[in-house]
Amino acid sequence: MAANIDLKKIRSLGDKNADDIIHKLVEQEGIHFLRQLMPFLSDYQNLSFQNQPQILQDFLLLNASFPAFYDKKNLIRATDFYRENQQNIGLILGLYSLPYCYLGADGAKVLYFSERIRNDTYKRLLETGNFLKAVMNYDNWSEQNIFVICLKVRLLHASIRYFTLNSNRWDMSWGFPINQEDMLGTNLAFSLIVLRGMEKLGYQIDKSYENAYLNTWNVIGFLLGIISENMPNNYLETVKIDKKIAQRQFKQSIESQQLTASLMQVIRSFAPNNITADLLQEQSRFLLGEKYAKMLGIAETNIPNTLLKVYNTTAVLMSKIF
């Protein structure tokens, strides 16, 4: 049963196959090539590996198949659900899912040290949004682009692991950088936490769509290098694993707070005025809850809870009409 997995054990595991490929690539092409490769790995428009080293092309061929639990009907339901709720899911991603990931203090250190998010938050947020749109686009599955998209992320994670482990800044007491526990937790942030966010905003989700969304993200997780035996088999197991990870990993840290501050700064910059910016920030506090919002250092605003409730209720009603 996946809910009984030893999270302490898998915290010491990365993604061996992808990590081995990156080591071999550095041996063949040099460290400078790996640095030059990273922008390509972050680009979900250019999906051709034709001009890349043969070792990467071979790795793609070896990882271009679905796991046994892939279900096409679930995929159709999941991508339909995303398309119908894309705006809300995008909002939840920025205000809830990403800061939820930052609560894992030890895992957040990888993001902090790499400076990819802290120093260029807007670009990285855009990359994350583009990834979400890409994996939730049914055409990318039917045309088998999904294998390239996920492999790019998998190789990007392995590259970050390589640089992190060779930086002399990493303490293994924090676990392996971008380890199996953190990867699993991130996957839940993009699946379970999105569904939870929808419910907190007042939307009712049919169980068939709920299960389909979780199943599809399990398939995505598999393609990203998460060990399939560690993934939850149903909604109850998903909730239990999320709770266990939160109890083990969520705590206040400088790294988590600085990552969140950078994220909030970018999100507030999207707003046309300070009132809207405060509304977005208060929405994040509402979704996370007071305890987690305080841990991440998200300040209170002048937006009263009653106004936020009215806003959310109105948004749900309008969505039903239009």
Side-chain angles (χ1 to χ4, degrees):
M1 185 176 179
N4 295 325
I5 58 174
D6 187 343
L7 292 174
K8 182 178 180 180
K9 180 179 179 180
I10 69 171
R11 188 158 194 83
S12 65
L13 303 176
D15 179 0
K16 188 178 185 308
N17 291 336
D19 292 338
D20 287 347
I21 289 295
I22 292 301
H23 277 86
K24 291 176 182 177
L25 188 66
V26 172
E27 290 175 1
Q28 291 180 12
E29 307 289 341
I31 192 68
H32 296 296
F33 178 84
L34 183 58
R35 290 194 177 96
Q36 293 170 0
L37 181 69
M38 292 182 77
F40 167 74
L41 297 177
S42 304
D43 182 356
Y44 307 118
Q45 298 296 319
N46 181 6
L47 301 180
S48 175
F49 270 66
Q50 186 175 356
N51 296 323
Q52 299 303 326
Q54 190 63 44
I55 189 174
L56 295 182
Q57 296 185 43
D58 292 342
F59 192 57
L60 175 59
L61 289 174
L62 283 172
N63 292 276
S65 60
F66 293 123
F69 52 84
Y70 164 71
D71 187 307
K72 187 175 180 179
K73 289 182 179 178
N74 279 332
L75 170 65
I76 294 172
R77 287 194 187 99
T79 51
D80 283 348
F81 174 77
Y82 173 78
R83 187 176 62 253
E84 293 169 4
N85 298 280
Q86 184 172 348
Q87 187 172 352
N88 281 323
I89 291 175
L91 185 75
I92 291 166
L93 177 72
L95 299 180
Y96 191 11
S97 297
L98 291 180
Y100 194 83
C101 291
Y102 301 160
L103 284 162
D106 290 342
K109 287 180 171 62
V110 181
L111 300 173
Y112 185 85
F113 289 159
S114 73
E115 300 185 350
R116 282 174 53 80
I117 290 182
R118 188 161 50 103
N119 289 347
D120 201 350
T121 309
Y122 174 75
K123 185 176 180 181
R124 302 312 166 196
L125 187 59
L126 191 63
E127 283 178 8
T128 304
N130 288 337
F131 168 73
L132 177 62
K133 291 175 185 176
V135 297
M136 284 290 107
N137 184 335
Y138 178 78
D139 290 343
N140 282 330
W141 293 74
S142 62
E143 296 168 8
Q144 299 197 333
N145 291 331
I146 190 67
F147 300 121
V148 181
I149 294 165
C150 290
L151 190 81
K152 279 191 165 196
V153 177
R154 190 177 175 187
L155 291 171
L156 180 64
H157 286 168
S159 300
I160 294 172
R161 282 192 208 94
Y162 181 90
F163 286 122
T164 301
L165 290 171
N166 286 279
S167 67
N168 296 320
R169 301 174 68 188
W170 189 255
D171 187 335
M172 290 301 288
S173 68
W174 301 328
F176 207 76
I178 314 183
N179 58 72
Q180 287 287 321
E181 182 182 22
D182 288 341
M183 291 166 66
L184 182 57
T186 300
N187 190 270
L188 298 185
F190 277 72
S191 55
L192 174 67
I193 299 307
V194 164
L195 297 173
R196 188 177 291 168
M198 291 286 291
E199 291 169 355
K200 286 188 174 188
L201 292 178
Y203 294 89
Q204 293 183 339
I205 305 171
D206 186 276
K207 283 292 181 183
S208 64
Y209 284 98
E210 193 174 71
N211 292 330
Y213 206 70
L214 294 175
N215 175 262
T216 297
W217 273 98
N218 274 353
V219 176
I220 294 169
F222 172 85
L223 296 177
L224 293 176
I226 299 176
I227 299 170
S228 59
E229 289 81 4
N230 297 331
M231 283 187 278
N233 297 309
N234 52 56
Y235 186 87
L236 181 60
E237 283 193 14
T238 305
V239 171
K240 287 182 178 179
I241 292 174
D242 170 66
K243 186 177 181 179
K244 286 176 67 174
I245 292 175
Q247 290 172 339
R248 281 174 41 81
Q249 298 301 327
F250 287 11
K251 57 188 175 184
Q252 184 172 309
S253 73
I254 293 174
E255 294 87 357
S256 298
Q257 290 186 349
Q258 289 198 14
L259 288 168
T260 304
S262 296
L263 176 64
M264 283 296 121
Q265 185 178 3
V266 170
I267 289 174
R268 289 182 64 90
S269 73
F270 294 154
N273 52 60
N274 285 334
I275 294 176
T276 307
D278 284 349
L279 185 62
L280 288 171
Q281 186 165 317
E282 199 60 43
Q283 188 76 282
S284 182
R285 288 177 51 80
F286 165 72
L287 290 168
L288 286 161
E290 185 68 18
K291 176 183 175 182
Y292 289 159
K294 281 186 176 181
M295 286 170 63
L296 293 170
I298 304 176
E300 294 184 46
T301 70
N302 293 322
I303 302 294
N305 288 335
T306 52
L307 177 60
L308 189 63
K309 289 180 181 178
V310 169
Y311 172 81
N312 288 336
T313 301
T314 304
V316 172
L317 291 173
M318 292 301 288
S319 70
K320 291 180 179 179
I321 296 172
F322 298 103

